[in-house]
Amino acid sequence: MDLHTVDQVLVPATRTDLPGPSTGVGFIGGGTWLYSEPQPHLSTLVDLAGFGWEPLTVTEHGLEIAATCTIEELCRSELVAQFRAQQLFRDCADALLASWKVLRHATAGGNIALSFPAGAMTTMAVTLDGELTVWRPGSGEYRVAVKDFVTGNGTNALGVGDIIRCITLPTRSLLARTALRKLAQTSLGRSAVVVAGRKDVAGFTLSVTAATRRPHVLRFDAHPSASELADALRVIPADCYFTDVHGSAPWRESMTALLAEEVREELT
């Protein structure tokens, strides 16, 4: 789609090349969503590819995923083949309603920045205890857990001019067993319920996304029983589940419980 209000595209190589914070400035990761619908409030686009960030970096603490790393790179890179959780990367990519063309260009950081309930990279990151490094305008930065970054349906903690620099995943999460279940009301429909689990030395972690306006993460010191899991799910307020064309709130809540039990059983 042509963005007729945009009159300049910037490709910065350093932070000093970035424009000042403005609601009229948009940042391009892969651009797959940005160019999919009108953006009348934008007059300037900033292409983050100019920074030349390394897509994936294995560190002593885990894995650093550049915000500009494409979903295809994340799923197929031999660099992450050493981690058991690579399967979750692929499962989450498969949960996206997207063609191979989109997956080749859509970025991990962009998917999280959109903060849609069905954001598959959000599911991946919250399940693996992911943290974001965010650049503030100027030279400052801060870190925030992805589960706290997304605050609602399409809303998040980003301020004007803030840029997601990378997603960091800890080693213990990357080496864990994982499982994912998703449900949509049509074969090609957007995910209405997504539940993912992780089992590692620290215990059992379950994430609920797509069905709720923001991610919810449940943690257990040991593998929970079916009744313990059911009790924990009741902590999620009923009004956190929402109704849209992809499903009603009561249906989403019921299906979340069903899929959560399937994940629990798989990781037993």
Side-chain angles (χ1 to χ4, degrees), residues 83-99:
F83 299 123
R84 199 172 191 175
Q86 186 187 39
Q87 183 59 50
L88 184 64
F89 301 160
R90 294 171 176 167
D91 290 343
C92 287
D94 289 342
L96 277 170
L97 179 60
S99 69

Side-chain angles (χ1 to χ4, degrees), residues 9 57 76 87 92 106 150 162 191 211 236 242 246 254 262:
V9 177
T57 305
R76 296 189 177 183
Q87 183 59 50
C92 287
V150 178
D162 285 358
S191 296
I236 301 176
F242 66 102
H246 303 289
S254 295
E262 289 186 5

Side-chain angles (χ1 to χ4, degrees), residues 26 40 45 49 89 106 132 140 156 165 168 181 211 217 235 237 256 258:
L45 294 180
F89 301 160
L132 301 179
N156 56 50
R165 167 61 183 87
T168 304
R181 295 290 189 278
V217 180
V235 173
T256 295
L258 177 67

Side-chain angles (χ1 to χ4, degrees), residues 33 111-120 122 150 152-155 190 210 213:
W33 176 82
N111 189 256
I112 293 173
L114 287 174
S115 300
F116 293 150
T122 298
V150 178
N153 186 354
T155 62
R190 181 176 177 177
R213 292 182 175 84

Side-chain angles (χ1 to χ4, degrees), residues 122-202:
T122 298
T123 301
M124 176 277 293
V126 299
T127 306
L128 298 179
D129 287 347
E131 285 191 336
L132 301 179
T133 297
V134 180
W135 282 357
R136 284 194 171 104
S139 58
E141 66 179 41
Y142 63 93
R143 293 176 66 87
V144 58
V146 178
K147 68 178 182 63
D148 299 322
F149 172 79
V150 178
T151 57
N153 186 354
T155 62
N156 56 50
L158 285 179
V160 176
D162 285 358
I163 300 171
I164 296 177
R165 167 61 183 87
C166 63
I167 307 112
T168 304
L169 306 175
T171 301
R172 64 172 166 75
S173 297
L174 292 164
L175 298 176
R177 292 173 58 205
T178 61
L180 181 140
R181 295 290 189 278
K182 62 156 284 188
L183 191 61
Q185 292 205 4
T186 61
S187 59
L188 295 178
R190 181 176 177 177
S191 296
V193 183
V194 179
V195 178
R198 183 186 93 235
K199 188 172 184 179
D200 57 27
V201 294

